Amino acid sequence: MPLKVLDATVATFNGVFEKFKAEAPKNKANFILFLADIDPSTSLSWCPDCVRAEPVIYKKLEASSDDVALLRAYVGDRPTWRTPQHPWRVDPKFNLKGVPTLIRWEDDAVKGRLEDHEAHLEHKIDNLLGGK
């Protein structure tokens, strides 16, 4: 099945997240990937961990035979993300510490997560995809 992808920024997140949650019961698995914005000067993410993890995450999610949905939530540029009061750092639901962070979303709650230092590891992505 094709991977269903929604994109959101901090400004558009609430509306996109509501749509994501409404469609979640139709999918076998739902994920939220918090990642850094693309740097216009390089056309790559300003975050080296995101550059390393994104292709691995997409490969694993796209290879799944199940219906999988992915909400990509862009945290902003480096100065925006570094702000201690960034909305997703202080949101008790997400409690982000770093990017990229891949979250498995089930039953309207976080059911598993991979933080920045492990989000590129294929076996950990496989485990998260399998609900472990």
Side-chain angles (χ1 to χ4, degrees):
M1 286 278 142
L3 177 64
K4 295 178 247 179
V5 179
L6 292 171
D7 288 331
T9 62
V10 173
T12 65
F13 184 78
N14 288 341
V16 176
F17 188 49
E18 288 306 314
K19 180 179 179 188
F20 175 78
K21 290 193 303 184
E23 294 176 5
K26 301 175 192 167
N27 304 313
K28 178 76 172 164
N30 298 282
F31 294 92
I32 305 170
L33 175 59
F34 291 95
L35 63 160
D37 282 17
I38 302 298
D39 180 342
S41 67
T42 64
S43 297
L44 295 172
S45 170
W46 56 258
C47 162
D49 289 338
C50 294
V51 171
R52 177 175 62 171
E54 274 188 88
V56 181
I57 291 169
Y58 299 148
K59 178 180 89 173
K60 288 295 186 178
L61 296 183
E62 288 168 356
S64 173
S65 59
D66 296 325
D67 284 330
V68 176
L70 175 66
L71 169 54
R72 292 188 297 201
Y74 291 91
V75 301
D77 60 14
R78 190 184 305 260
T80 301
W81 170 242
R82 295 281 184 224
T83 306
Q85 293 306 307
H86 188 287
W88 297 328
R89 285 185 185 273
V90 297
D91 186 325
K93 211 174 19 262
F94 301 120
N95 193 25
L96 283 192
K97 307 250 185 288
V99 287
T101 295
L102 181 63
I103 288 176
R104 184 174 178 114
W105 186 262
E106 281 179 24
D107 302 321
D108 211 29
V110 173
K111 293 296 182 190
R113 69 192 297 141
L114 295 176
E115 304 283 343
D116 51 353
H117 63 280
E118 60 188 355
H120 67 286
L121 299 173
E122 291 192 31
H123 71 283
K124 293 204 174 212
I125 298 167
D126 287 339
N127 287 341
L128 194 63
L129 211 109
K132 297 176 190 161

